[in-house]
């Protein structure tokens, strides 16, 4: 029974790494249960483990033991003064408001695989972590909390006090995701963590803005921008996604002055007519050429506006006449510039109509649309109303329709920056995986628009621009610097720009700010920059290829004159069984922490990459109610398989040493290795070669499948079973050699598996090696292939042995013979070399195929009452003798043949019925066809079995 002190110690340890109270309670209860089974660590600080090898793998114990030790021993720390070759990765900084989701699980696992693999290869690795201040999301979060807890708005506090509140919130809640990512086992250098609002990052942001301003690449201007009424800020084009929405298209009557004639003008947004300043027609549209220059009256408004010629008007759309509202449409704004038209703004920042809308002032834009349309109808100013489906811009932040709004904003000229960034990708200096994303990248870069970088927020990097009272301004580090640039006296008052910079304006500098570039406005180079830039790999989602990937390339090329990274791995999208993206809003995403707690971090990591091929979306069956993902059984079963193999080999070695009077000093003699030993060694080295190539080619799912196939099938299902047989046939000294050789291969397996399954491999490595807890498999050398041990001839021969054993098993399973019953088997092999291999492996074949007797000869007379088969000219005969009643078995098979033939006839009749085929759903017809094929295949097998009898 646990005493109170022990339970308290456990609780303290668990509290540190489990934020959720329910998880803490569950874990403490679980540890208490394990105490009864002697499956717990002697010291609750998890520094030592009992020597016995636990029967079952308990992930939570390994995870809570090893991660703190890795941190304590600074396994993940990078040295920028090292002479080792560098390898580095930039962590895509999660939002300060973020919590773990399955996108993070996949993304972080992929990065960790490469970092661990390269660390084991002897590189000086550095994984730069960080967190993004997430301007819009964080400000909204804190404002909501402020309202709920203190019934205050940010305006009640004022800017300075509100920003203090955000910092307080960040210190309390920000970065929870880092604690959650640690549960996944990621090996990033946490001491290098950078927050995008840290002073060093802020200084670099200012420096870049000032340089771009001084070069004329940053400018302030009136433009139609995407406005978020919900967040009350501008958005960049990339923060807007378009969705098809069904609305009404109104064709309005714009009467000519002093006339009963009118133009018909189609619009969806009737609420914007108060800002109409012209009607445009295409200059080549013969219907309207004669009307150009005349005036029409804007409905409800009474304003006279000209009919103007402009190619923006599409003769094929609507009536061919387009109302021009420069303040509320980006295309209309350009028309207004071309024709020097006035601009009338009619919508407030909160998306209500302003005083220019007359009686409709103060109404929300959508309510105003209803009322304006109703008024137009009452005044007989609507020609017709039609249903209309069109794309509407939606804010990715708030989910509301954005409002095109004329506003003073800050912009970056992008074309000069895009040219170099496009070239380095086209020239292959930066490679995309999969490479089809290059086309998407090229399209965006060739059609790039200026970037709106100002945001009407208080949380973020305040734009470093200072204004004089007479309207002059400059970009500067501070007021003193601004006065110096403007040539002003020290007593001249200045006011700083109130807007902040787009969050992406800090994260586009990520490759440089993480390494200390311009952290004091002076430092162009640092030891980190010299050692680790360009980084080697960026792992990210394709959805931010424009937000982040392209802009990082631009900024790093511009300010450092080199690429930020060499390879970009675009991850898969995680979807449920119905093909929907996993998300909390859809209610189809379990909490990843619950999944990790249930299956173990290693199982989750392995399953995610096993199911996520490069360039393809991942589909997983999800049970949200049960907080379960059944496909995680793939990883958990695999972990158990690896564990059981290690436990068995450890037990055999202990047994062998005991049998050998405690003497373990037995050398592995190359001359005494069996064909099976050389086969597994060859397969091991072949697999290492292929694994390394797969990772080099960023084919991570192939890497996982190769691991799975080699470890599960070759090593566990075949070689471990062979070890059992060889062990029983050997003397005590030979038994030690057999066990040591198998463990030597197994230890290599642990090292090749470590990058994807770090916890179980660390645990097993220590259990088998007896190493001190301060040592780690993380820094052991990754296996490299020994070509002298690769023998394709031996692999082919053993593959043939495997085929024969499997064929014997199939013959046995085709009858009602109990699996445990042994039968005589005879194998006829004409080729001498093959026969020698089979003769050497005779005991192995006999043991694995459950043979009571095994005859291997050049030719064999077929025994009576036997099952037979031929594989690659090798004849196999399984004698039945009195193992089964042949007459009853024939009767059983004949009945099965009759049953299958009857079902086949019924199915064929159904499929020959044209009425059924034409009326039944396609999937039903397809199912019937598959069922027919399956029954025909089964019938052939049963007939073969009957013939064999």
């Amino acid at each position: 029974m646990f005493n109170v002190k022990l339970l308290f110690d456990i609780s303290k340890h668990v509290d540190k790494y489990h934020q959720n109270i329910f998880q803490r309670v569950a874990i403490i209860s679980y540890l208490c249960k394990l105490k009864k089974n002697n499956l717990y660590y002697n010291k609750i600080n998890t520094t030592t483990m009992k020597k016995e090898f636990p029967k079952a793998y308990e992930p939570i114990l390994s995870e809570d033991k090893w991660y703190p030790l890795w941190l304590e021993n600074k396994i993940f720390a990078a040295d920028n003064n090292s002479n080792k070759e560098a390898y580095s990765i930039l962590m895509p900084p999660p939002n300060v408001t973020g919590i773990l989701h399955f996108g993070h699980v996949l993304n972080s696992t992929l990065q960790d695989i490469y970092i661990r693999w390269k660390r084991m290869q002897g590189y000086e690795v550095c994984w730069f972590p960080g967190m993004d201040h997430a301007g819009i999301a964080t400000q909204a979060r804190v404002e909501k909390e402020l309202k709920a807890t203190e019934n205050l708005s940010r305006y009640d506090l004022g800017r300075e006090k509100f920003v203090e509140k955000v910092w307080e919130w960040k210190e309390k809640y920000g970065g929870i995701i880092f604690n959650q990512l640690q549960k996944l086992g990621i090996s990033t250098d946490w001491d290098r963590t950078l927050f995008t609002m840290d002073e060093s990052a802020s200084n670099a942001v200012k420096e870049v803005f000032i340089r771009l301003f001084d070069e004329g690449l940053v400018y302030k201007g009136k433009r139609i921008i995407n406005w978020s009424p919900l967040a009350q800020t501008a958005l960049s084009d990339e923060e807007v996604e378009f969705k098809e929405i069904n609305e009404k298209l109104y064709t309005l009557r714009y009467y000519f002055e002093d006339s009963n004639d009118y133009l018909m003008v189609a619009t969806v947004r009737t609420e914007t007519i108060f800002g109409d300043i012209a009607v445009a027609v295409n200059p080549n549209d013969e219907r309207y050429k004669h009307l150009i220059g005349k005036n029409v009256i804007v409905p409800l408004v009474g304003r006279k506006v000209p009919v103007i010629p402009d190619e923006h008007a599409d003769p094929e759309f609507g009536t061919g006449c387009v109302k021009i509202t420069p303040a509320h449409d980006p295309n209309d704004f350009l028309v207004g510039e071309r024709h020097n038209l006035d601009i009338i703004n009619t919508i407030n920042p909160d998306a209500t109509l302003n005083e220019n809308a007359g009686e409709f002032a103060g109404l929300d834009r959508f309510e105003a649309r209803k009322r304006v349309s109703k008024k137009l109808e009452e005044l007989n100013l609507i020609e017709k109303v039609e249903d209309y489906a069109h794309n509407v811009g939606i804010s990715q932040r708030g989910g509301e329709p954005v409002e095109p709004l004329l506003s003073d904003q800050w912009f970056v000229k992008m074309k000069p920056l895009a040219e170099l960034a496009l070239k380095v990708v086209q020239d292959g200096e930066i490679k995309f995986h999969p490479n089809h994303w290059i086309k998407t990248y090229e399209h965006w870069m060739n059609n790039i628009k200026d970037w709106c970088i100002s945001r009407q927020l208080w949380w973020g990097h305040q734009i470093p621009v200072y204004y004089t009272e007479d309207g002059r301004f400059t970009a500067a580090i501070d007021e003193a610097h601004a006065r110096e640039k403007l040539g002003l006296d020290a007593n001249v008052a200045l006011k700083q720009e109130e807007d902040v910079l787009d969050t992406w304006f800090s994260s586009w500098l990520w490759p440089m700010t993480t390494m200390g570039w311009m952290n004091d406005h002076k430092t162009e180079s640092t030891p980190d920059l010299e050692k680790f830039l360009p980084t080697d790999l960026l792992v990210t989602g394709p959805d931010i290829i424009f937000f982040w990937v392209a802009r990082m390339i631009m900024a790093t090329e511009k300010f450092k004159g080199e690429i930020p990274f060499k390879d970009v791995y675009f991850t898969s999208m995680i979807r449920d069984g119905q093909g929907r993206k996993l998300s909390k809003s859809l209610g189809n995403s379990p909490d990843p922490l619950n999944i990790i707690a249930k299956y173990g971090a290693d199982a989750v990591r392995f399953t995610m990459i096993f199911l996520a091929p490069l360039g393809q979306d991942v589909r997983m069956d999800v049970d949200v109610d049960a907080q379960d993902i059944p496909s995680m059984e793939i990883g958990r079963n695999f972990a158990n398989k690896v564990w059981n193999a290690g436990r068995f080999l450890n037990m055999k070695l202990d047994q062998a040493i005991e049998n050998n009077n405690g003497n373990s000093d037995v050398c592995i003699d190359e001359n005494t290795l069996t064909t099976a030993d050389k086969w597994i060694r060859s397969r091991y080295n072949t697999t290492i070669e292929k694994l390394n190539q797969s990772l080099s080619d960023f084919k991570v799912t192939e890497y996982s499948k190769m691991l799975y196939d080699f470890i599960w099938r070759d090593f566990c299902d075949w070689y471990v079973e062979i070890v059992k047989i060889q062990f029983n046939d050997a003397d005590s000294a030979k038994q030690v050699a057999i066990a040591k050789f198998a463990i030597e291969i197994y230890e290599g397996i642990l090292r090749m598996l470590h990058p994807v399954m770090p916890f179980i491999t660390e645990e097993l490595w220590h259990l088998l090696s007896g190493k001190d807890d301060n040592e780690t498999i993380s820094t052991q050398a990754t296996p490299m292939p020994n070509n002298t041990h690769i023998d394709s001839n031996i692999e082919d021969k053993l593959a043939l042995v495997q085929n024969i054993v499997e064929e014997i098993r199939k013959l046995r399973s085709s009858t009602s013979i109990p699996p445990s019953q042994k039968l005589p088997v005879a194998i006829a092999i004409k080729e001498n070399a093959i026969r020698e291999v089979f003769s050497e492996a005779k005991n192995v074949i006999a043991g694995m195929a459950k043979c009571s007797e095994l005859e291997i000869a050049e030719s064999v007379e077929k025994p009576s009452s036997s099952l037979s088969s031929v594989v690659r000219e090798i004849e196999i005969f399984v004698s039945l003798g009195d193992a089964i009643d042949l007459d009853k078995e024939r009767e059983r098979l004949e009945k099965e043949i009759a049953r299958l033939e009857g079902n086949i006839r019924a199915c064929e009749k159904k499929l020959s019925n044209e009425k059924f085929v034409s009326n039944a759903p396609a999937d039903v017809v397809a199912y019937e066809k598959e069922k027919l094929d399956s029954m025909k295949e089964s019938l052939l097998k049963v007939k073969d079995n009957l013939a064999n009898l």
Side-chain angles (χ1 to χ4, degrees):
M1 184 175 180
F2 273 96
N3 61 43
V4 175
K5 172 69 167 60
L6 190 58
L7 189 60
F8 178 71
D9 287 343
I10 292 177
S11 178
K12 284 196 300 183
H13 173 66
V14 171
D15 277 354
K16 185 174 181 182
Y17 295 99
H18 296 83
Q19 303 294 322
N20 184 303
I21 184 64
F22 299 108
Q23 289 176 333
R24 293 201 294 269
V25 170
I27 291 164
I28 292 169
S29 301
Y30 190 65
L31 289 172
C32 292
K33 181 186 77 173
L34 293 178
K35 171 69 169 71
K36 297 176 182 178
N37 299 322
N38 279 332
L39 297 177
Y40 74 107
Y41 299 112
N42 284 336
K43 294 183 181 179
I44 288 305
N45 66 9
T46 70
T47 55
T48 60
M49 182 179 178
K50 276 196 168 186
K51 292 298 181 184
E52 66 265 23
F53 206 123
K55 183 176 181 180
Y57 176 55
E58 302 293 349
I60 196 171
L61 299 182
S62 293
E63 292 163 15
D64 285 350
K65 173 184 179 179
W66 291 114
Y67 203 86
L69 283 172
W70 290 335
L71 294 179
E72 182 183 323
N73 293 321
K74 295 193 175 298
I75 302 302
F76 311 151
D79 179 6
N80 54 32
N81 291 313
S82 167
N83 292 324
K84 298 178 184 177
E85 186 177 347
Y87 184 89
S88 58
I89 292 178
L90 298 167
M91 176 189 288
N95 289 349
V96 67
T97 60
I99 58 173
L100 191 68
H101 58 66
F102 279 98
H104 293 125
V105 172
L106 176 60
N107 186 292
S108 299
T109 298
L110 288 166
Q111 293 173 81
D112 199 40
I113 286 170
Y114 280 92
I115 282 293
R116 288 181 181 275
W117 182 50
K118 290 296 182 178
R119 183 184 291 121
M120 295 176 77
Q121 284 188 335
Y123 287 79
E124 189 63 43
V125 302
C126 190
W127 185 0
F128 291 90
M131 187 164 48
D132 191 274
H133 64 279
I136 295 176
T138 306
Q139 179 161 315
R141 180 81 172 266
V142 176
E143 283 193 82
K144 185 177 180 181
E145 186 172 290
L146 193 62
K147 184 69 176 175
T149 58
E150 301 181 44
N151 197 29
L152 294 173
S153 73
R154 60 176 163 137
Y155 301 103
D156 294 326
L157 291 181
R159 183 170 192 147
E160 186 176 339
K161 292 290 185 185
F162 176 75
V163 170
E164 286 178 8
K165 282 283 186 185
V166 182
W167 276 107
E168 288 174 11
W169 182 91
K170 184 263 179 185
E171 293 304 318
K172 186 175 182 181
Y173 298 109
I176 285 176
I177 192 171
F178 283 167
N179 294 325
Q180 296 173 331
L181 283 171
Q182 289 182 359
K183 284 298 299 172
L184 194 62
I186 68 171
S187 59
T188 187
D189 188 348
W190 294 109
D191 291 339
R192 279 183 159 83
T193 301
L194 180 74
F195 181 47
T196 52
M197 286 290 287
D198 284 346
E199 184 180 1
S200 63
S202 186
N203 288 340
V205 167
K206 286 182 185 177
E207 185 70 28
V208 165
F209 185 94
I210 293 165
R211 290 189 188 186
L212 293 174
F213 177 91
D214 291 343
E215 287 185 48
L217 292 176
V218 160
Y219 66 93
K220 189 174 188 179
K222 275 192 180 296
R223 293 286 186 277
I224 294 287
I225 50 90
N226 302 299
W227 182 260
S228 166
L230 194 63
Q232 291 282 288
T233 183
L235 302 173
S236 69
D237 290 341
E238 290 72 41
E239 291 171 301
V240 178
E241 57 187 31
F242 287 88
K243 293 183 179 178
E244 188 175 278
I245 293 179
N246 294 314
E247 296 189 288
K248 298 295 183 183
L249 182 66
Y250 300 88
T251 299
L252 308 182
R253 296 171 178 169
Y254 282 61
Y255 282 90
F256 291 98
E257 56 182 336
D258 304 323
S259 172
N260 291 324
D261 294 331
Y262 54 83
L263 279 179
M264 291 186 291
V265 180
T267 183
V268 169
R269 306 187 68 205
T270 55
E271 75 277 11
T272 64
I273 62 173
F274 305 102
D276 284 3
I277 210 69
V279 172
V281 297
N282 194 290
N284 299 315
D285 193 335
E286 295 295 336
R287 294 173 295 173
Y288 302 118
K289 273 186 177 182
H290 65 289
L291 299 177
I292 293 172
K294 293 190 176 185
N295 292 329
V296 292
I297 309 298
V298 179
L300 292 188
V301 183
R303 181 186 307 124
K304 288 192 299 184
V305 299
V307 178
I308 61 172
D310 198 282
E311 291 189 352
H312 168 58
D314 182 0
E316 301 299 322
F317 175 76
T319 63
C321 303
V322 181
K323 62 193 282 299
I324 303 300
T325 314
H328 301 295
D329 184 277
N331 292 314
D332 290 5
F333 179 80
L334 296 175
V335 173
E337 280 192 329
R338 288 195 289 269
H339 295 271
N340 198 26
L341 300 176
D342 291 335
I343 297 176
I344 301 175
N345 179 39
T346 65
I347 297 180
N348 295 314
D350 63 356
T352 60
L353 272 60
N354 66 18
E355 67 279 359
N356 289 320
E359 65 181 279
F360 303 99
L363 292 176
D364 172 77
R365 53 184 168 162
F366 298 118
E367 179 61 26
R369 183 179 304 177
K370 294 176 185 177
R371 297 198 190 183
V372 169
S373 300
K374 184 178 180 182
K375 187 69 174 282
L376 288 165
E377 188 176 11
E378 290 172 356
L379 296 175
N380 198 29
L381 292 171
I382 297 180
E383 182 76 16
K384 62 179 177 178
V385 182
E386 304 167 86
D387 291 329
Y388 181 56
H390 68 135
N391 288 326
V392 173
I394 304 295
S395 165
Q396 286 186 346
R397 304 288 187 181
E400 84 279 18
V402 298
E403 183 62 40
L405 199 66
L406 182 65
S407 176
D408 271 331
Q409 300 290 340
W410 288 93
F411 295 86
V412 176
K413 292 179 182 177
M414 299 299 278
K415 280 199 176 295
L417 300 175
E419 291 172 359
L420 274 177
L422 177 58
K423 187 175 187 299
V424 294
V425 173
Q426 290 176 326
D427 290 351
E429 289 185 59
I430 298 175
K431 295 180 174 63
F432 287 177
H433 309 276
N435 65 5
H436 67 72
W437 286 110
I438 292 175
K439 292 295 181 185
T440 305
Y441 179 83
E442 287 175 336
H443 177 76
W444 187 74
M445 297 293 269
N446 285 322
N447 296 278
I448 200 164
K449 296 179 181 178
D450 287 354
W451 176 15
C452 177
I453 57 171
S454 47
R455 298 290 182 268
Q456 290 63 54
L457 303 170
W458 288 356
W459 173 244
H461 298 281
Q462 194 169 351
I463 292 177
V465 168
Y466 295 85
Y467 298 88
T468 63
E469 290 182 356
D470 61 5
R472 287 182 294 159
F473 60 89
T474 191
I477 295 169
D478 51 27
E479 287 193 19
H481 185 216
R483 290 190 183 95
E484 179 187 334
K485 289 181 73 174
L486 292 170
L488 302 174
D489 293 336
N491 59 352
V492 175
L494 294 175
K495 183 179 179 182
Q496 186 174 355
E497 171 68 64
E498 292 189 354
D499 288 353
V500 301
L501 289 162
D502 177 13
T503 298
W504 296 102
F505 196 87
S506 52
S507 53
W508 79 322
L509 306 180
W510 198 240
M512 298 183 294
T513 53
T514 49
M515 303 185 198
W517 180 83
M518 282 293 159
N519 60 3
D520 54 3
H521 294 289
K522 300 173 185 175
T523 308
E524 290 278 0
S525 186
T526 66
D528 275 356
L529 284 164
E530 292 296 324
K531 182 74 174 177
F532 297 115
L533 190 74
T535 59
D536 292 271
L537 177 64
L538 178 71
V539 180
T540 187
D543 53 328
I544 55 173
I545 188 172
F546 311 131
F547 286 112
W548 195 44
V549 178
R551 289 172 182 164
M552 280 194 289
I553 298 173
M554 293 182 207
T556 314
E557 280 286 339
K558 171 69 177 174
F559 297 105
K560 283 297 293 175
E562 57 185 306
I563 57 175
F565 29 71
K566 300 168 188 173
D567 291 283
V568 183
Y569 185 114
F570 291 110
T571 59
S572 308
M573 186 74 74
I574 314 299
R575 300 185 182 278
D576 64 14
Q578 299 177 44
R580 301 175 302 169
K581 180 181 176 181
L582 288 193
S583 71
K584 287 191 173 7
S585 60
L586 285 175
N588 66 342
S589 179
D591 184 340
L593 289 178
N594 291 336
I595 304 301
I596 290 172
K598 181 170 184 176
Y599 293 96
D602 287 333
V604 172
R605 288 167 60 114
F606 186 84
T607 304
M608 291 299 293
I609 67 162
F610 190 86
L611 298 175
L614 178 64
Q616 297 179 37
D617 287 351
V618 186
R619 287 205 178 196
M620 298 189 299
D621 290 327
V622 173
D623 187 338
V624 179
D625 293 335
Q627 287 289 286
D628 191 21
I629 298 179
S631 56
M632 291 298 164
E633 293 287 349
I634 294 170
R636 181 161 66 183
N637 293 343
F638 185 52
N640 289 336
K641 191 81 169 178
V642 173
W643 181 270
N644 291 337
R647 184 170 180 271
F648 170 79
L649 293 175
N650 183 68
M651 179 181 67
K652 283 299 179 186
L653 180 60
D654 288 347
Q655 181 184 336
I657 293 171
E658 184 179 346
N659 292 344
N660 202 39
N661 298 318
N663 180 18
S664 63
D665 190 19
V666 177
C667 296
I668 300 168
D669 187 351
E670 179 73 22
N671 295 323
T672 62
L673 292 181
T674 66
T675 300
D677 297 330
K678 293 176 182 177
W679 165 75
I680 196 64
R681 187 174 65 180
S682 180
R683 291 289 303 125
Y684 168 75
N685 282 280
T686 300
T687 302
I688 292 170
E689 190 172 55
K690 290 179 178 178
L691 288 175
N692 289 341
Q693 189 61 52
S694 292
L695 287 180
S696 297
D697 294 340
F698 301 99
K699 296 177 179 177
V700 183
T701 296
E702 285 188 14
Y703 156 80
S704 69
K705 292 186 186 301
M706 287 176 195
L707 279 171
Y708 187 90
D709 290 343
F710 171 71
I711 295 172
W712 191 294
R713 184 178 186 274
D714 290 346
F715 189 79
C716 295
D717 283 356
W718 284 95
Y719 187 66
V720 168
E721 294 303 312
I722 291 171
V723 166
K724 291 179 185 178
I725 296 165
Q726 292 185 158
F727 192 88
N728 292 334
D729 294 339
D731 58 32
S732 59
K734 178 65 173 173
Q735 285 178 340
V736 175
I738 289 169
K740 287 176 73 173
F741 179 79
I743 287 175
E744 182 180 296
I745 298 291
Y746 183 77
E747 192 273 343
I749 287 172
L750 294 179
R751 285 185 286 124
M752 67 166 120
L753 185 60
H754 178 73
V756 64
M757 301 182 85
F759 291 113
I760 190 172
T761 51
E762 186 77 89
E763 186 73 33
L764 286 165
W765 186 75
H766 278 84
L767 283 170
L768 291 171
S769 67
K771 297 286 188 181
D772 184 89
D773 283 354
N774 292 325
E775 295 188 62
T776 174
I777 192 174
S778 297
T779 54
Q780 301 303 303
T782 189
M784 298 302 290
N786 183 338
N787 291 329
T788 62
H789 289 157
I790 295 177
D791 189 330
S792 59
N793 186 41
I794 284 181
E795 289 191 35
D796 289 342
K797 288 176 180 177
L798 257 292
L800 186 55
V801 171
Q802 288 174 313
N803 290 342
I804 297 302
V805 170
E806 287 171 349
E807 187 64 21
I808 295 170
R809 290 171 174 173
K810 286 179 185 177
L811 289 172
R812 290 174 54 95
S813 67
S814 69
T815 67
S816 53
I817 298 170
S820 59
Q821 185 172 352
K822 294 184 177 182
L823 296 174
V825 174
I827 301 175
I829 307 172
K830 294 179 180 177
E831 191 175 332
N832 289 336
I834 299 295
R835 193 166 61 254
E836 288 176 7
V837 171
F838 273 69
S839 297
E840 182 188 335
K842 183 174 182 178
N843 289 349
V844 170
I845 298 169
M848 300 191 76
K850 296 197 180 329
C851 308
S852 58
E853 299 173 24
L854 177 59
E855 179 187 358
I856 299 172
E858 183 177 355
S859 63
V860 174
E861 184 177 344
K862 180 180 178 179
S864 60
S865 301
S866 65
L867 299 174
S868 63
S869 181
V870 178
V871 176
R872 287 172 56 179
E873 298 184 357
I874 296 175
E875 294 180 288
I876 305 165
F877 303 99
V878 179
S879 298
L880 297 175
D882 58 359
I884 61 172
D885 187 318
L886 293 180
D887 291 335
K888 285 186 177 179
E889 182 64 14
R890 286 194 188 95
E891 184 180 349
R892 184 186 73 80
L893 293 175
E894 286 168 352
K895 285 181 179 178
E896 180 64 10
I897 289 170
R899 186 188 71 82
L900 286 169
E901 287 176 339
N903 289 343
I904 287 170
R905 284 193 298 271
C907 193
E908 286 176 334
K909 184 177 180 181
K910 183 185 287 189
L911 288 171
S912 65
N913 185 336
E914 291 183 10
K915 189 174 180 181
F916 167 76
V917 174
S918 58
N919 294 334
D923 58 337
V924 172
V925 176
Y927 171 73
E928 289 295 328
K929 289 180 178 178
E930 288 176 13
K931 186 170 71 171
L932 178 62
D933 291 341
S934 177
M935 287 190 296
K936 286 182 175 179
E937 186 177 341
S938 297
L939 179 62
L940 288 174
K941 289 180 180 177
V942 176
K943 285 183 174 180
D944 283 345
N945 291 340
L946 182 59
N948 282 332
L949 287 179

